[in-house]
Amino acid sequence: MSRKLRKSIGDLTHRSLITHNNPMSPISEQYRTIRTNIQFSSVDGEFKTLMVTSAGPSEGKSTTAANIAVVFAQQGKSVLLVDADLRKPTVHYTFQVSNIFGLTNVLTRQKSLKEAIQPTNVPDLDVLPSGPIPPNPSELLNSKTMDAVLEEMIAEYDYIIFDTPPVLAVTDAQVLSHRCDGTLLVVTSGRTGKDPAVKAKELLQTAGAKIVGVVLNGKEMGKQSYYYYYGTK
Ligand SMILES: Nc1ncnc2c1ncn2[C@@H]1O[C@H](COP(=O)(O)OP(=O)(O)O)[C@@H](O)[C@H]1O
Ligand SMILES: [Mg+2]
């Protein structure tokens, strides 16, 4: 999965999950390292909800969120991956599930959480797709219903991972970030400028996010690994 092999970036429908399809690859090993670092970042408190975001579009948020969800599930923990990118949802493509119902139906009380959640072919991993794209995503994510739904998720699963839209584009990630125990910021090697990355970090911290780390995506580090993680505060 080198960047040279990367399919056209606009192609959102063709997605493969390296941690599931090739768990022994060095890239999967890097995702497990990220998992360990996240787990160690929360020594003083229970860690259940993680949000994955980035400054701009196509930086690897969804790829990172999905693979992190898989490696948590591979530990035998029950995991729910939620597509909270209500602008450009992709979780249903990655896991090949229907997106007729999802988070937006739950937030507008048309469906119960149980009705909208779907199993995947990864053991212990369920997904909640976005559902129909609404006119008011930030409002839905910032609602009291969202708080109640989050409580329900926490009661049901060991870990809940949220895929979100870019921080600099819309406020959705910010409104979700203070509801989550941790936020992972994805930065693309050679693509994300320093200024947008710093701006995204500042916006998240102002919103009350606890940034547990930064994932440098797409970095070619010899043949061994394409992902590298370092903790930040
Ligand atoms: N490290 C990588 N190597 C190869 N392809 C990647 C990598 N990270 C992301 N991609 C591809 O780039 C595209 C955009 O990634 P995606 O995770 O959807 O970004 P975002 O959610 O930030 O918009 C997708 O087609 C994805 O498969
Ligand atoms: Mg995405």
Side-chain angles (χ1 to χ4, degrees), residues 62 85 88 90 163:
S62 299
D85 187 343
K88 219 180 216 184
T90 57
D163 189 5

Side-chain angles (χ1 to χ4, degrees), residues 11-141:
D11 183 0
L12 297 172
T13 55
H14 285 89
R15 321 193 124 238
S16 70
L17 265 176
I18 189 152
T19 44
H20 183 59
N21 298 330
N22 191 353
M24 300 316 286
S25 83
I27 295 173
S28 300
E29 184 56 39
Q30 292 291 322
Y31 280 115
R32 288 191 289 274
T33 305
I34 295 171
R35 177 188 67 197
T36 307
N37 282 314
I38 293 168
Q39 285 168 336
F40 275 113
S41 75
S42 60
V43 275
D44 52 350
E46 214 189 359
F47 188 94
K48 295 202 67 149
T49 50
L50 176 77
M51 194 191 90
V52 180
T53 196
S54 74
S58 298
E59 299 199 85
K61 291 178 290 298
S62 299
T63 306
T64 304
N67 282 288
I68 296 286
V70 170
V71 294
F72 272 99
Q74 284 170 343
Q75 279 189 320
K77 304 286 186 192
S78 62
V79 181
L80 177 66
L81 174 64
V82 181
D83 201 341
D85 187 343
L86 303 180
R87 319 270 174 169
K88 219 180 216 184
T90 57
V91 167
H92 58 292
Y93 294 128
T94 309
F95 292 91
Q96 316 233 308
V97 297
S98 152
N99 194 28
I100 294 176
F101 300 116
L103 178 62
T104 56
N105 305 95
V106 178
L107 292 178
T108 51
R109 301 286 195 197
Q110 294 164 330
K111 289 274 163 199
S112 71
L113 187 59
K114 277 211 169 80
E115 284 170 326
I117 284 175
Q118 298 183 56
T120 69
N121 55 10
V122 178
D124 297 313
L125 177 60
D126 289 348
V127 293
L128 179 60
S130 68
I133 296 182
N136 53 346
S138 327
E139 236 173 85
L140 282 182
L141 294 171

